[in-house]
Amino acid sequence: MNHTGEKGTVRMFALETLRLSEEVEGGFENPRGFGVSVAALSDLTGRCSKFCLENEDELEELIKVLKDTDRLVGFGARRFDIPVLTSAIPGAMILRARTIDLLPIFERATGRRVTLANLARHTLGVELESGISSPLEWRTGNRGAVFRRLEKKVKVIGELYLLSLADMPWEYVVMEKGVLTRRHVSITP
């Protein structure tokens, strides 16, 4: 049993794509068209592993780690990250059954959709940079920036997950009637 009381291995998961939405025929309706540049997994202690998927050895290692993982935790992972991952790992859709996706859980609890950056800033006091430039940075060789941003992202997902297990609220800011309003909600994964 791990320190959350769950049996098995729990890992946080996120990835960065090779293409921007405007470069993919069908955009977000075609997640497999995005391709994967790098994936990151973090355990509950915050140790992070990154896998560059253009490297065959790292791709094989990622497949091995995913097979040995009982529960994946992501943010938008079931709707986007896992379908994107199938472009590199055929059959990856089977991971959806083992994935806790914090975004739809948040949406069901609040009726709202917010960004991970909003939750990171207002719940944890952590600033997350937008990953919108990651495909361009990856192609131009600025891979260090992509790795750092992705590592920070999986750590934030892990911290939010642990807060939810402890029944501690997440805070976020939304626009209501033209005014930015701070809200909080407890999430049960």
Side-chain angles (χ1 to χ4, degrees):
M1 215 179 282
N2 58 44
H3 72 276
T4 65
E6 291 186 54
K7 291 183 180 178
T9 307
V10 177
R11 290 193 173 91
M12 281 26 78
F13 168 71
L15 56 78
E16 290 296 344
T17 65
L18 289 170
R19 292 174 209 69
L20 299 166
S21 61
E22 58 266 15
E23 297 173 313
V24 175
E25 186 174 331
F28 288 105
E29 299 300 315
N30 179 19
R32 292 179 187 186
F34 282 80
V36 182
S37 57
V38 61
L41 294 168
S42 172
D43 64 18
L44 290 168
T45 68
R47 273 191 319 247
C48 186
S49 300
K50 297 171 283 300
F51 303 88
C52 175
L53 299 194
E54 60 193 24
N55 178 313
E56 190 66 33
D57 291 338
E58 289 189 33
L59 177 60
E60 291 301 318
E61 180 63 18
L62 174 62
I63 292 169
K64 180 182 176 299
V65 171
L66 289 172
K67 284 181 180 176
D68 292 341
T69 300
D70 297 301
R71 180 76 59 207
L72 286 172
V73 180
F75 193 86
R78 292 185 81 173
R79 193 176 344 187
F80 186 73
D81 293 0
I82 291 172
V84 169
L85 190 60
T86 62
S87 67
I89 304 173
M93 288 300 278
I94 196 164
L95 296 171
R96 289 179 75 184
R98 293 187 278 149
T99 300
I100 296 171
D101 193 336
L102 299 175
L103 177 58
I105 293 169
F106 176 88
E107 289 173 337
R108 283 191 300 275
T110 64
R112 298 180 181 278
R113 184 180 177 100
V114 299
T115 64
L116 184 59
N118 184 329
L119 291 167
R121 180 180 310 113
H122 299 289
T123 303
L124 305 171
V126 173
E127 293 296 324
L128 279 183
E129 297 175 41
S130 169
I132 191 73
S133 62
S134 290
L136 299 175
E137 288 175 323
W138 189 261
R139 285 181 264 186
T140 59
N142 192 7
R143 294 178 174 189
V146 177
F147 286 141
R148 283 188 298 279
R149 210 171 20 253
L150 189 58
E151 183 174 10
K152 195 172 186 181
K153 183 177 177 180
V154 293
K155 286 182 178 183
V156 163
I157 291 168
E159 289 180 41
L160 290 172
Y161 177 63
L162 290 174
L163 284 174
S164 68
L165 292 176
D167 201 28
M168 298 187 67
W170 295 2
E171 294 188 19
Y172 58 102
V173 171
V174 293
M175 184 71 74
E176 291 180 349
K177 298 180 183 176
V179 177
L180 284 176
T181 306
R182 188 178 202 97
R183 297 278 180 228
H184 66 273
V185 63
S186 290
I187 302 291
T188 304

